[in-house]
Each structure stands twice: as C-alpha cells, then as structure tokens.
Amino acid sequence: MRITKPEWLRHDADKKKLSAIFSLDFHPDGTRLATSGMDNKIRLWNTRAITAKDQEQRLISTLSSHSGAVLCVRFSHGDGRYLASGADDMVVLIWERDEGDVVPGNLSASSALSGPLSETWRPMRRLTGHESDVCDLAWSPDNRFLATCGLDNAVLVWDGATFERVAKLTGHEQFVKGLTFDPAGKYLATQSDDKTMRIWRTSDWAQHAVVSRPFEDNLFSTYFRRPSWSPDGDCVAAANAANGKVPVAAVVSRDTWAADLSFVGHRAAVEAVRFNPNVFRRAESPASCVCAAGGQDRGVTVWLTSQHMPIAAATNLFAGSLMDLAWHTAPAAGDDGVVAVLAACSYDGTVAVMEFAEAELGRPIPAQEQQAMLRKHGWLGRSEGGDDASGQRPMLAESVEQLRLERLGEPALADRDSRIAQIMGACLLPAAPAAEPPMAAEAPVPVMTKSGKKRVAPVFVRPLGGHAAQPLPAIGQAQPLGAAASSAAAAAPPAASAERVAIDAPVWIEARALGTRTLAAESDGGAASAAIAATVQPLGRQTLVHAQSISAARVHLSVPRIVAHVTCTATATRAVLAAHNQAAASTVVSTAEDGSVIWTKHMTGSAVTLLAASDTVAAASCSDGSLHVFDSASGARLLPPIVGEAHLAHLRCVGRFCLALDCVGQLTVWDLDRRSAVVDHVSVAPLLYSAELTADHQTGGEDAVRAPKRHKATVALTAADVAPDTGAPIVCLSDGRAFVYHLQLRSWLCIGDPTAYAGSEFAPRPPLTHGGNVGRVAFTPTVPTPLGRIQETGWHQRSLSARKDKPAGGDEAVSAEKRRLVTLDHLEHQVMAAAAIGSSEDVTRFVELLARHLARDGDKPRAEFWMRSLLGPALVKGECPQSADPLQWAPMLAGVPKRRLLARALPILASNRGLQRVVTEYSDVLSKLL
C-alpha cells in the first residue's frame, strides 16, 4: 500500500487556512475526483496528477452554485453523466458536463488555484423539498432513482431521468445522516441518529426491516453515518455502531438483518464505510469484498470479508475526523501493479490517497461472475433485458401474487435463519440443554494384552435421536463384575453413574469370534466371580452358532461378559431396569425414578447379559442365547422366549420396537405391538467392509478349502438405534458414517458421511481440541435435531479415530461455482436423509433452507422439480390430464404434508423475482388444492 497526501489538493484560495472537505467521489472512469467542502464549492481534480505525479494539469473544474457548505457529492453510475451534490442550503443540484463548451473556464469557476480549467459542468436541475441540511445522497445501481437524506429526518427519492420526486420516506425520529442502495436494486438502507438502520423496498418504498441492535450501546455523536452495501449484495456495513463500549462498523446480513460480524479496530466512532464496487479474488482463495472504514480516530482500516483482521490500517492519517471515502478500481493492473485506489477526506481540509497492489487485494473477478452473485438476489442484467446506462436494472414484480409471496417470505426468512442459520456445522447454533452432564468421550487408543492381541479403549456413545439426555446403549456393553449385591441393594435403584457403563470392547471387524472366551480367564476375581464361575457354564463353551455358520460369517462381533449387575434406563419414564445375576438364576427388577419397585421377575437357568427398555417394552438377553420381552409398566410377558441363531451383541428398545444385533452381524427389529418383524436378519457386513474378503487359494484337489483372509480392521460399529415412527434401524460407524435401512427399498442408505460434500457451505467443521487430548473432552452435539445429532456425533467419532490425519471437510479452497453446486447437492441429500429417518423437524428445516439456496442461485429447473415433487397430482401449466401419477406420489414426507412444505417454500423462492412466473403459477394451483 502506498499513501499520498497532495498538498495542492485543498479547498482554500489563499492557502492560509484549510477549509474542511466533507465528501469526495471518483468518476466511474477514474479520471476525475470530485471533492466538496466548507467553502460552498465542488472541485474536480485530475487523478493522474495524484497517482502518477502529472504536473501539467491538477484542477479540472470548480463548481460554485451552492450557497452553503456542500456536504455530499456523488457521480451517477455507468458513464458518470451526472454529478449530484447536496448542501446545507437544503438544495440538491444535478450537474451535467457541457460537452460543447471546452473553453478553459466558466462563469462559476476560479482559476487561481492550479492553472487553467478544462471542463464546464452546469447545474441542469435544482431539487428542493428538504427542510434542512442535505447530509448524504446515493444513486441506485441502474440510475433509476436518486435518494437524498438530511437533518429534517426525511428521505426523498427522485426519478433518475426526470428528477421528479417519487417518494418521501418518513419513519426516522432523528437526523438521517447516511444511505446506500442495494446493488441488486431491491432495497435502500438509511442510517439515523435515532440509532436505527431502516431497510426500504424499492418496489413500493415501504419499510422492510428495522435494524437497531448494533447501535443500542452507541454513545458517540458523528457528523455523518454513511453506510455501504457490499458489491455481492450479501451484506451492508453500518457506520457508528458499537460492541459494548467499543466503536465498530457493523456488518448486517441480507434478509436476516442481523449484525453477526463487525469491523473492530477503531478507537473512536466510525463516520463512514465504503465497499469497493468490485469483488476480488486472491490466488486460489474464495472471492471476497473489500471495505474501508474511518472516523473520528483520524485513521483508515481496510478489510477483506474473507479475513478476520484488516489487511491495512493507517493511523493518525489526518489531524481531524475522517468525513468520507471513495474507491476506484483499475480495469487492469498497470506497470506499478496498482489495482485499486482509495481516497479519504478529512475535516482538516486534506485528502489522502491509498494505492493497493494486486498482491494485497487480488484481481477483480469477471463481471459475469459478479453479476451471477447479484442474480441470486433478484438482479437482472443487460443480457436479460436491462437497457439502462449501466447495463443493469432490478426485476419488477409482475403480479400481485408475487408481492404477496414476498411479504409472506419476510418473517419466514427471519425465523428460518434464527433457527437454522448454520445447522449442519457446529458453529453458531447454541448447544441443546441436556438433562444431565455428558460423560467424557474417550479416544479409541489401542493397547496390548498379555496374550499379545490388540484391544481398544472404550468409546462413549451419544444418543442417535429423539431424546438428548439418554445415552445410547453401546454395542458390547457390560458392567464390570463387582462385589455381590445384598438383598437390600437388589431392590434399590442403581446410582446415577450406573446408566453410563463402559463398553467391553468396540465392535471391530476383527473382534474375537464367539467360543474363544472363558469366564474364569476374564473374571475380576471377587467372591461373586468365583460363585458364578462354579455354577454357570462359561459363555465360550455354550455357543448356539453352528460351526458352518461361524466359519461362513463375514462379521464377528464381541458379546458382553456375564457380570453381577446389568442396568438400563427407560428414556421417557426414567424407570430403571436392573438385572442381578446370582448362582444359576437372575432377578430382574424395575424401579421408578423415586426408587419404588414397580415389578420384579425371577429367571432361572441363565444369566442376563443385556437389558433394554422403552416406555412400553422391556427386553432381556440371556447367556443361553434367548431373548425375553415384557411389558414395561407391569412386567407381564409379551412372548415366549425368542431363540436366535447366535448370541446378541447389542439390544435396544424404542417405543414398541425392539432391535437385536447378534454376534455374526445379523440385525432384526420386531414390532411387539403387531407381533411382526419389521427387519428380519439383515446383515451389517456391507457397512463394515470397505473391501470384500479375499480368498487365499490353496493348492490341492477339487475339494480344496478356500481360507478367508480378513483385512486389517479399520472401522467399528459404535451405535445402533431405531427410528421411533417406522422401526427402521440406524447404524453408526467409527469412521463417522451413519446408515438407515430403508424398509421399502430393502437397502442400506448412507445418511451421514463427514468426508462427503467437501466444499459445501454446510460441511462439518473440525472440532475444537485441547492440546493432545483430542476426544478426551466432554462432547455434546450442538444441533438439537435427530439428523443433526446423528451427523455431528458421526463427525466427532471420525475425529477420534482419525485424529492424526487431516480432518475431512477442511478449509481447502474451492471455486464459487463448485461450492454452489456442492451445497445444493448437500441440502438435497439432507432433505432425503431426514425423510429416511422420519424426522419431520429436519425435513421442514432443510426444505426451507434448500428453497433459500435455490432462490439465491436462481436455479429454475431445480426449483421447478422440487415444487412439482411437493405439489403432486395437479393441473400444472394448464395441462390435461393430470401432470403426475397419483400412484407414484406420496402426500407425506416424514409425516409432514408435502403441500404444506410447498406452502412454506414458495414465499422463500419468491424472494428471487427471476423465478416469479413459475412460483406464482404453482402458488395459484396450490391455493386451489388446499
């Protein structure tokens, strides 16, 4: 950055006393710089004399028709035909260059400063209507409107061609000191001393939103409050905001109108902010906007929206407060490498010019790419019908229905963003409150046993959905064998910590096959251990798996040990189910939350190894391979013992459903109300294997046996749950992936994968770490929805098992187009994944978010596909017969009517007027169907 302060650029004729300069602006072609000041004059300067030290010509023209201090000056966009100025004489003048008069001077100019004058600018219109000083003015991007504001608390809007007054905007209660137009042409933002920024619609000049939060703590008084809209239309920067007692420039997001970010670094109030009209990109970094801010601390800071710190800061640049800022972007970097020039003026009567090189800002992106950013906000360019001087104009509403949908969409957008602003990362949503503190999550650290085999430390498993407070029973779960329980302890509920029992071993693919474990070798050696060892046949010698089955099994899961106590808790009722194993028998006791015994059941002949309970069903798996199911409220037996092919490794009850996973990877789900199997012996092997078993071909005769050879274990089952509405099983792996079994397709669907959709705006973020103890801190999912908990828990699991590798979903740079496409694909995946697990809350949220991004990108074919899918059988576009086959269309999506989802999505899609024709068409059809 190079800073220049020309001593000759001033507004005093006698050079004895500097006159304050209140405003400045570059001509669109960059050849002229206009300044206005306390001397009631506007001066046009040759910018080459500033940046290239050209001594031949400095002052080009002096305009002096105002009778008061000129407080603001702005060139029109495009060819810069007009120059608008406002002063404290309550008048706005429109100046136009006299192309036929090229004499060195004019009647209103003085040549005493810097030589002969070369241009003549004459006031062609005089606009009156303000009742006090005119503080600021702005042209709309297409020059269709000129807006002015002043100390009369009013904003006046003028026609940009005829300069007749179009509207008078009232609503501010104090002086209005700044305004800026949305580059997409839809809004006008105004700032006032009443500590508000008001957003006005250009379609009907009605007030759209009021932003007050960033200014509530502000105690500073300023000459101006000059805001600026970013060139991509995503946000507006507001001057004179405060974060507590710290003066800042607030960045207000479009549509939500929330100030989540701020430019922090100034020691006094910020008078003005100004975005460069171009979007820049450095190397492979994402495109970003450039914004300058300055104020009463007499300094200037320059920011890139893609960075958290300013790229440049000039302190003590002036002897007085900064008044205004202006940018000019060079069409191409010159010999000196300068791509942008920033000018700032001060109350001390001086002007500073800062030149930025390509290495600092990057290169301006192509105009087509910047126009694509604006089209997502409803902007329409020359190629699509714009015919003004600048080649751009806002798309107008074509029907009353479009305006109605836009107004419906205003509260919908604000409510949506407050609930799901960053739903799939762990960034901004607050953590869901838990009924009890979570247990620390342990990283799977391998250790060596005495026999030389590797074992893995336990991994804490979070719940998959429905209830955040209840931990999901882990596969292979068991409580270590302890001292014998007394008769009094048998009836008493276990301690709170008993609900979070350790995992005996994660279910790695190479977990030990059933039949290799003996109770005597692995007991803890207590008195109870000796008693059980003497009376209970060791588990490893009573297998129910036939030799042929176990040799052919592709998955071998570990089974829980026989221990003295096994407990579980029903999530809804908080009733505790406890099994106390004694010699050749087991006692199962159900106790209420207050400790009172609900029912007791004695079981003989085998020990209980697994327990599961819901509010309606309780289940117990025994060491002889049988499964017993009871009514949770009374203890009544619902079925005779169920006998499976192998011992169970995991048991789970949700509502009326009971899930059982045996040690050879066969998963079954029963609906105990209907006495039917929802899922019957479905293998989890396809989920565990990234590569199939390889065969070690042996030499020999035709009866030679092929010995299977397993790959090194790299993934484990960490959780298994049941969708509460459909009974579909959900399985999570240690690599972060999650699957649901689709009952109609009879196939596993991947509903979560941390490595997929890299570059999406909602790709998972790496978790916070604490030194080398990654994964050993307490983990609580921050997205309080069923799908959010599944996917975020999966990301956490992956970060534990692969913490030494580069995390998936990292910050590698991707192009804007790739990010857009991947984000849309990701959101569509989320909608269908939420539907697969039956989460109505997730479906509703992701449909709204998908509609928002379709509207932002203006993707008409995709938007029409989703509208058609949600509308279903109807007369679309006047076609007959019906456009959809009712036999192929289901009216519900995860329990939510599809047409209700469409009714929520239409106002959001209507925010892009490029889609208004198809949106209003579907809205008309929907109104007839509902």
Side-chain angles (χ1 to χ4, degrees):
M1 180 181 69
R2 182 175 62 190
I3 301 178
T4 305
K5 289 189 68 176
E7 295 183 357
W8 47 264
L9 204 164
R10 55 178 63 194
H11 271 246
D12 61 322
D14 55 9
K15 297 185 180 181
K16 293 181 180 179
K17 183 178 179 180
L18 295 177
S19 179
I21 300 178
F22 292 117
S23 184
L24 77 173
D25 194 39
F26 280 105
H27 190 275
D29 63 11
T31 59
R32 307 170 186 86
L33 175 67
T35 60
S36 64
M38 184 76 79
D39 60 350
N40 306 350
K41 293 181 176 60
I42 303 168
R43 301 182 187 271
L44 301 183
W45 307 90
N46 179 9
T47 55
R48 181 172 176 80
I50 304 172
T51 59
K53 305 299 186 295
D54 188 344
Q55 300 296 326
E56 295 182 1
Q57 188 78 25
R58 292 177 176 175
L59 183 62
I60 297 176
S61 185
T62 301
L63 290 62
S64 55
S65 293
H66 278 289
S67 59
V70 185
L71 303 180
C72 51
V73 59
R74 294 289 185 266
F75 283 103
S76 60
H77 300 291
D79 59 1
R81 175 183 178 184
Y82 299 120
L83 175 67
S85 60
D88 63 8
D89 58 5
M90 302 180 292
V91 174
V92 175
L93 292 180
I94 306 299
W95 303 80
E96 185 178 20
R97 182 181 176 184
D98 190 344
E99 299 291 347
D101 187 358
V102 293
V103 298
N106 60 46
L107 297 177
S108 61
S110 170
S111 61
L113 269 178
S114 302
L117 305 176
S118 61
E119 289 184 0
T120 300
W121 287 73
R122 302 185 185 277
M124 52 89 62
R125 287 301 298 268
R126 185 173 185 268
L127 310 182
T128 60
H130 280 287
E131 300 174 2
S132 189
D133 301 5
V134 180
C135 290
D136 202 11
L137 54 82
W139 296 88
S140 65
D142 55 0
N143 296 326
R144 186 182 179 191
F145 301 111
L146 171 68
T148 61
C149 64
L151 303 186
D152 55 357
N153 305 354
V155 178
L156 301 183
V157 182
W158 313 85
D159 188 286
T162 65
F163 297 103
E164 299 295 329
R165 195 167 81 179
V166 175
K168 181 178 182 178
L169 311 181
T170 58
H172 283 294
E173 300 175 358
Q174 295 186 33
F175 302 154
V176 186
K177 294 184 174 180
L179 45 76
T180 180
F181 270 100
D182 166 23
K186 294 183 66 175
Y187 302 116
L188 170 69
T190 59
Q191 264 197 265
S192 167
D193 278 349
D194 61 7
K195 297 184 179 181
T196 65
M197 171 186 280
R198 296 178 186 266
I199 311 298
W200 312 83
R201 289 193 299 268
T202 59
S203 57
D204 55 4
W205 299 112
Q207 182 173 287
H208 181 80
V210 178
V211 181
S212 60
R213 180 66 188 90
F215 316 105
E216 292 176 355
D217 299 330
N218 179 30
L219 302 176
F220 311 104
S221 177
T222 56
Y223 279 97
F224 304 104
R225 292 173 180 258
R226 285 173 165 153
S228 179
W229 216 297
S230 64
D232 59 4
D234 286 344
C235 61
V236 55
N240 202 4
N243 187 353
K245 297 182 180 180
V246 179
V248 300
V251 181
V252 181
S253 300
R254 187 190 188 96
D255 293 332
T256 65
W257 312 116
D260 298 325
L261 300 174
S262 297
F263 296 142
V264 183
H266 288 273
R267 300 186 302 273
V270 176
E271 292 265 1
V273 289
R274 193 78 176 266
F275 274 99
N276 187 292
N278 293 85
V279 181
F280 289 80
R281 178 180 289 114
R282 291 197 302 181
E284 300 299 327
S285 301
S288 60
C289 303
V290 183
C291 185
Q296 295 180 357
D297 61 356
R298 308 184 299 278
V300 176
T301 57
V302 180
W303 304 75
L304 287 176
T305 54
S306 60
Q307 297 185 7
H308 300 292
M309 299 292 290
I311 62 170
T315 59
N316 298 320
L317 192 60
F318 302 106
S321 298
L322 180 143
M323 297 283 100
D324 201 5
L325 296 159
W327 282 98
H328 169 63
T329 304
D335 296 337
D336 56 358
V338 174
V339 295
V341 178
L342 172 66
C345 62
S346 169
Y347 191 80
D348 66 5
T350 63
V351 172
V353 177
M354 286 156 274
E355 299 173 79
F356 293 89
E358 181 178 323
E360 296 171 299
L361 301 183
R363 294 183 179 180
I365 66 174
Q368 296 80 359
E369 186 176 347
Q370 185 166 335
Q371 291 169 4
M373 295 180 177
L374 293 177
R375 287 192 181 97
K376 67 186 180 183
H377 300 307
W379 175 84
L380 185 66
R382 178 189 299 272
S383 61
E384 298 179 12
D387 54 2
D388 55 89
S390 63
Q392 48 180 302
R393 63 178 175 86
M395 178 177 286
L396 301 179
E398 298 181 354
S399 64
V400 176
E401 178 66 13
Q402 170 68 19
L403 293 175
R404 184 188 72 83
L405 290 172
E406 288 184 7
R407 295 191 179 185
L408 285 176
E410 294 164 13
L413 289 172
D415 178 65
R416 182 208 73 241
D417 285 294
S418 65
R419 292 183 291 114
I420 48 172
Q422 294 166 4
I423 185 152
M424 290 149 36
C427 299
L428 295 182
L429 273 177
E436 54 191 30
M439 188 176 181
E442 293 292 328
V445 181
V447 296
M448 299 295 296
T449 63
K450 295 181 179 180
S451 60
K453 295 184 178 181
K454 287 186 177 180
R455 291 179 62 83
V456 181
V459 177
F460 176 68
V461 182
R462 292 292 303 170
L464 290 181
H467 307 281
Q470 171 66 16
L472 183 71
I475 303 176
Q477 170 179 310
Q479 182 179 357
L481 188 64
S486 63
S487 59
S497 61
E499 297 179 20
R500 303 185 183 276
V501 294
I503 302 174
D504 178 51
V507 194
W508 299 91
I509 299 176
E510 293 182 339
R512 287 177 297 175
L514 188 65
T516 63
R517 176 177 303 177
T518 61
L519 182 64
E522 299 194 6
S523 63
D524 293 337
S529 173
I532 296 178
T535 56
V536 180
Q537 185 180 6
L539 182 60
R541 299 177 184 173
Q542 47 177 316
T543 176
L544 298 180
V545 182
H546 300 292
Q548 183 178 359
S549 300
I550 194 168
S551 62
R554 301 173 63 192
V555 178
H556 290 225
L557 309 181
S558 61
V559 294
R561 295 176 297 172
I562 299 176
V563 293
H565 309 288
V566 181
T567 63
C568 72
T569 304
T571 303
T573 62
R574 306 302 299 168
V576 177
L577 192 64
H580 307 284
N581 293 320
Q582 297 175 351
S586 179
T587 301
V588 180
V589 180
S590 177
T591 56
E593 191 172 5
D594 59 3
S596 59
V597 177
I598 302 176
W599 51 267
T600 303
K601 185 168 292 292
H602 295 281
M603 304 173 64
T604 60
S606 60
V608 174
T609 56
L610 289 172
L611 283 176
S614 68
D615 54 343
T616 58
V617 176
S621 174
C622 295
S623 59
D624 61 358
S626 61
L627 176 65
H628 304 259
V629 291
F630 312 98
D631 176 68
S632 287
S634 63
R637 182 178 288 274
L638 300 180
L639 288 172
I642 300 174
V643 179
E645 292 184 0
H647 289 87
L648 297 187
H650 178 64
L651 187 64
R652 173 75 166 152
C653 291
V654 176
R656 67 179 190 271
F657 300 106
C658 178
L659 176 147
L661 178 64
D662 63 29
C663 63
V664 292
Q666 299 292 324
L667 189 148
T668 303
V669 178
W670 295 281
D671 183 339
L672 295 177
D673 279 357
R674 300 178 180 178
R675 304 299 194 271
S676 62
V678 180
V679 174
D680 183 19
H681 289 84
V682 173
S683 177
V684 298
L687 313 183
L688 289 172
Y689 276 92
S690 58
E692 291 292 337
L693 298 178
T694 58
D696 183 12
H697 297 278
Q698 304 290 337
T699 58
E702 60 180 7
D703 295 331
V705 179
R706 297 194 307 174
K709 180 179 180 181
R710 299 188 182 276
H711 293 274
K712 181 181 179 180
T714 57
V715 69
L717 288 173
T718 57
D721 204 354
V722 180
D725 295 329
T726 63
I730 302 170
V731 173
C732 295
L733 306 183
S734 61
D735 63 358
R737 292 182 298 164
F739 301 85
V740 64
Y741 188 80
H742 198 286
L743 303 180
Q744 285 72 42
L745 297 177
R746 297 183 182 181
S747 301
W748 289 103
L749 304 181
C750 181
I751 59 173
D753 186 352
T755 63
Y757 306 107
S760 167
E761 295 178 19
F762 303 100
R765 270 48 171 191
L768 295 177
T769 61
H770 298 262
N773 297 324
V774 179
R776 296 187 181 275
V777 295
F779 169 68
T780 303
T782 60
V783 184
T785 62
L787 185 62
R789 282 192 293 268
I790 293 173
Q791 293 178 340
E792 193 178 343
T793 302
W795 168 249
H796 180 71
Q797 291 290 343
R798 175 171 176 79
S799 68
L800 297 181
S801 61
R803 61 188 184 277
K804 294 183 180 180
D805 300 330
K806 181 179 179 180
D811 296 332
E812 59 272 11
V814 296
S815 65
E817 179 64 12
K818 178 182 177 181
R819 184 177 296 275
R820 181 186 73 82
L821 295 175
V822 173
T823 298
L824 276 178
D825 195 24
H826 195 186
L827 288 173
E828 289 174 335
H829 168 271
Q830 294 296 97
V831 172
M832 303 317 299
I837 66 173
S839 174
S840 58
E841 182 181 5
D842 283 301
V843 163
T844 302
R845 292 184 174 187
F846 284 118
V847 165
E848 292 180 5
L849 197 56
L850 175 62
R852 173 63 188 152
H853 280 258
L854 290 172
R856 185 195 68 177
D857 298 337
D859 195 331
K860 184 176 178 181
R862 225 162 179 168
E864 189 168 5
F865 167 81
W866 281 101
M867 287 189 287
R868 183 169 61 250
S869 300
L870 295 176
L871 180 66
L875 295 177
V876 179
K877 298 183 180 180
E879 294 180 359
C880 188
Q882 293 180 341
S883 61
D885 184 356
L887 297 179
Q888 299 178 357
W889 183 78
M892 310 291 285
L893 192 65
V896 183
K898 289 183 178 179
R899 288 171 179 169
R900 185 186 302 171
L901 293 172
L902 179 61
R904 297 175 68 99
L906 286 175
I908 302 174
L909 293 169
S911 64
N912 186 337
R913 289 185 175 175
L915 304 174
Q916 62 177 310
R917 293 185 180 180
V918 65
V919 170
T920 54
E921 183 177 350
Y922 275 88
S923 179
D924 291 338
V925 175
L926 182 64
S927 63
K928 298 175 182 178
L929 295 176
L930 293 180

